[in-house]
Amino acid sequence: MKKLIRTTLCCLLLLCSTTALYAQQGLQIATIFQKYGNQKGATYVELSKMLSKEWDITHYKSLKLDKAAKALPDIYQCLEADKQNAKKIKEVITNGEIQSGYYQLPALKGNINRFILFRNGKKGDATLIYIEGEIDSDDLVTLMFSKE
């Protein structure tokens, strides 16, 4: 029975990773989620379609690394590549490194907006988020900072 459950979970993970690749096609940060998502000290969350119709989000991925020092060079490299074609909503740079960034990527067909959010924490942690959907930048900011 345990073997059946493990096999089923593995199949679901493979299916989710295929969906994730489609959602982030052409983005370098997709490699960060793949490379670091299953490592010790990582919290990886992926939600799609059923996230919320009221928020108009069709795909959400987040990766929080408790000890991000080894991953930061990869993350910075991918962020630099992906933000070349993005609209910079907000970016904080300290000592030449991005501490936090909020970028809106070019929309996909059908008015599907895409966002990358990144934060390098003071305690050595880092968070990378990818959001896709019809939600606009203002609504996303409201959603992120609402206290409800």
Side-chain angles (χ1 to χ4, degrees), residues 33-119:
F33 290 103
Q34 291 172 340
K35 185 174 181 178
Y36 297 101
N38 293 322
Q39 290 191 357
K40 186 176 181 178
T43 303
Y44 174 67
V45 176
E46 181 176 2
L47 304 168
S48 58
K49 293 190 182 183
M50 299 303 287
L51 180 60
S52 175
K53 291 183 181 181
E54 71 182 67
W55 293 336
D56 293 325
I57 296 173
T58 54
H59 200 90
Y60 171 93
K61 288 178 88 170
S62 71
L63 176 64
K64 181 174 188 268
L65 299 170
D66 291 335
K67 296 178 183 175
K70 290 182 181 178
L72 282 175
D74 288 342
I75 294 171
Y76 287 139
Q77 181 181 359
C78 291
L79 278 175
E80 287 299 324
D82 288 340
K83 75 178 193 174
Q84 294 300 314
N85 297 319
K87 177 182 174 186
K88 194 182 309 179
I89 306 294
K90 182 179 179 182
E91 186 176 65
V92 176
I93 298 177
T94 305
N95 296 324
E97 292 186 338
I98 301 169
Q99 293 304 302
S100 65
Y102 173 20
Y103 313 98
Q104 183 171 0
L105 299 160
L108 297 175
K109 294 178 184 176
N111 295 326
I112 302 298
N113 295 314
R114 302 179 302 160
F115 302 92
I116 297 174
L117 294 85
F118 172 74
R119 182 186 65 83

